[in-house]
Amino acid sequence: MKQRKRVTKYRTQTDLIYHTNIKGRSFENDELKLESNGRAVVKEGFRSDGCSPTFKLPFSKVFQFGWIVGPPNGPRNPDTGLPISARAFF
């Protein structure tokens, strides 16, 4: 399996629970769990690089300080330290 080249900036502090329409199937590994009733769990410690696709354009004469292009992660939630969009990108 190919290693990720992008830096993972964010880590879940607790399990994140989602409800999906995927019924009748189950799956579990070190990072994710899908139950047959459609409940999905992103386990504590899962890492993400934030909203994707996000790219930093290289420094150049046009972009003096570099620009980040893509959906923003948003400001950080003071309670969790994660961006307000964290539930969406996890």
Side-chain angles (χ1 to χ4, degrees):
M1 181 184 233
K2 190 175 180 180
Q3 288 292 89
R4 283 178 72 124
K5 291 183 180 180
R6 294 182 69 166
V7 176
T8 54
K9 299 189 289 188
Y10 307 109
R11 182 179 167 277
T12 58
Q13 304 299 318
T14 62
D15 289 353
L16 299 176
I17 299 170
Y18 300 89
H19 297 280
T20 72
N21 289 327
I22 303 171
K23 310 279 189 204
R25 303 278 183 206
S26 59
F27 168 83
E28 185 170 4
N29 66 15
D30 294 338
E31 301 169 330
L32 304 169
K33 180 179 181 180
L34 178 65
E35 298 174 357
S36 60
N37 62 1
R39 182 176 182 245
V41 179
V42 176
K43 295 181 181 180
E44 179 183 349
F46 182 80
R47 296 179 179 268
S48 174
D49 59 358
C51 293
S52 296
T54 302
F55 301 99
K56 183 170 186 177
L57 298 177
F59 291 101
S60 70
K61 292 178 183 176
V62 177
F63 305 114
Q64 184 177 4
F65 300 106
W67 282 7
I68 294 180
V69 179
N73 291 321
R76 291 186 183 257
N77 178 338
D79 296 332
T80 64
L82 296 172
I84 58 171
S85 62
R87 282 193 63 84
F89 65 68
F90 281 122

